[in-house]
Amino acid sequence: MNISMANVSQLVSRLAEVGYLAGPDLAMAAYLALRLQRPLLLEGEPGVGKTAFAQAMSETVGRPLLRLQCYYGIDLKSAVYDWNYARQMLTIRMAEEREEGHGKIQEDVFGPEFLIARPLLQALTMKPAPVLLIDEVDRTDEAFEALLLEFLGEYQVSIPESGTVRADEIPLVVLTSNRTRDVHDALRRRCLYAWIGYPSPERERAILARRRPELSEQLLMQMTAFVARLREEPLVKRPGLAESIAWAEALSVLGAKVLTPEVVESTLGLLLKYYDDVEMLRRPVGREMTSLEQWLHESGTGAS
């Protein structure tokens, strides 16, 4: 993928133009992935912006986004290619009726018109080359990772019946992992790497301000301080940036000006996704306050 990008700062600026504020480590890894034509592996907790980054890169470089959503049991037929068996059988029967030779029939039914391209094969043949998102690769098994090695190392796939397909234009490949299991070292070696952590309150505030400019600076400061405090707790699922964005959208719809215990209580389901986490904030502290009210009181982010 030959993309004119003078330096890392230019990439950061272009990403910002499409609404993605990339940190320095991520920006450097992405810039090198473009220049070196190497896959990029992104790891981090769910909801921190890994998938959104691939979408933003697609807009930034002006190339289509092609997505392969991974899951346990995904295989070659789902990810790389399959044959149109119904069409093959019809062709064989028609050839038999014409009494054509068996060898010629076999050759005919493995032509490109019978091949069904899945995302990995599509990425090699599309022009212009796309941004290929291989999302949540940690959900697959080792057998699928082995399938990826040839693709990531050589930008090619082997089809036994018809030969090897190589990329004329190299796609930008972005793999994401939530670390539900370890990705094999052989796959990691083929990729550049970046970790996407939870954003700092300042950076998160800047992101939310871009998404919801109608929210006041005071409310944004209260929101990001509250979310940062939540992430320090031993929750089943800490809120990511995606949850913060959804919360900001909800507070905008509700016309909230400041955080109050009532506002936070009524919208907790946008930040927390497990009953135990919600109940932790509702537990009483002393006679008059819940944990939530105490947090807001101590931090000064809302009315007590």
Side-chain angles (χ1 to χ4, degrees), residues 214-283:
E214 69 277 9
L215 297 182
S216 69
E217 181 70 15
Q218 179 187 10
L219 180 57
L220 291 174
M221 291 183 67
Q222 293 174 334
M223 291 171 58
T224 52
F226 180 75
V227 171
R229 173 68 186 271
L230 274 181
R231 290 173 183 154
E232 295 174 357
E233 296 298 312
L235 302 174
V236 177
K237 166 68 174 68
R238 293 180 175 89
L241 180 59
E243 283 76 25
S244 292
I245 291 171
W247 195 33
E249 292 172 349
L251 295 183
S252 175
V253 169
L254 294 173
K257 302 302 180 184
V258 295
L259 284 189
T260 65
E262 294 75 22
V263 167
V264 177
E265 170 78 21
S266 64
T267 56
L268 270 180
L270 291 156
L271 291 174
L272 304 178
K273 306 301 180 181
Y274 286 86
Y275 174 79
D276 291 345
D277 292 343
V278 173
E279 287 303 297
M280 184 199 73
L281 290 187
R282 290 175 174 162
R283 68 189 176 197

Side-chain angles (χ1 to χ4, degrees), residues 28-40:
M28 177 60 76
Y31 175 73
L32 292 176
L34 284 172
R35 294 297 301 271
L36 300 177
Q37 297 186 324
R38 294 276 301 278
L40 176 60

Side-chain angles (χ1 to χ4, degrees), residues 13-156:
S13 297
R14 291 191 182 181
L15 284 168
E17 288 172 5
V18 300
Y20 194 97
L21 302 183
D25 293 345
L26 175 59
M28 177 60 76
Y31 175 73
L32 292 176
L34 284 172
R35 294 297 301 271
L36 300 177
Q37 297 186 324
R38 294 276 301 278
L40 176 60
L41 172 61
L42 304 179
E43 284 193 321
E45 298 296 328
V48 294
K50 301 182 297 295
T51 299
F53 172 77
Q55 295 167 338
M57 283 297 294
S58 171
E59 293 184 56
T60 298
V61 300
R63 298 296 177 88
L65 178 69
L66 189 60
R67 180 173 182 172
L68 175 63
Q69 179 61 53
C70 296
Y71 55 89
Y72 186 79
I74 190 172
D75 58 8
L76 180 144
K77 291 182 178 181
S78 303
V80 188
Y81 73 92
D82 197 2
W83 293 104
N84 188 332
Y85 295 112
R87 187 174 179 183
Q88 284 177 321
M89 290 302 299
L90 180 60
T91 300
I92 290 172
R93 289 173 182 171
M94 292 175 63
E96 288 174 345
E97 290 178 1
R98 296 194 299 268
E99 297 183 350
E100 294 180 0
H102 181 72
K104 187 176 189 306
I105 295 174
Q106 286 290 97
E107 180 181 345
D108 287 344
V109 297
F110 288 107
E113 65 271 25
F114 296 94
L115 188 64
I116 302 172
R118 304 303 189 195
L120 296 187
L121 182 56
Q122 290 173 18
L124 299 180
T125 56
M126 284 178 63
K127 293 182 181 179
V131 173
L132 172 63
L133 170 60
I134 303 177
D135 212 9
E136 298 183 323
V137 69
D138 54 313
R139 291 183 178 273
T140 66
D141 54 24
E142 292 184 357
F144 181 73
E145 283 191 22
L147 284 177
L148 286 177
L149 297 183
E150 179 186 15
F151 178 86
L152 297 175
E154 307 295 334
Y155 291 106
Q156 68 179 37

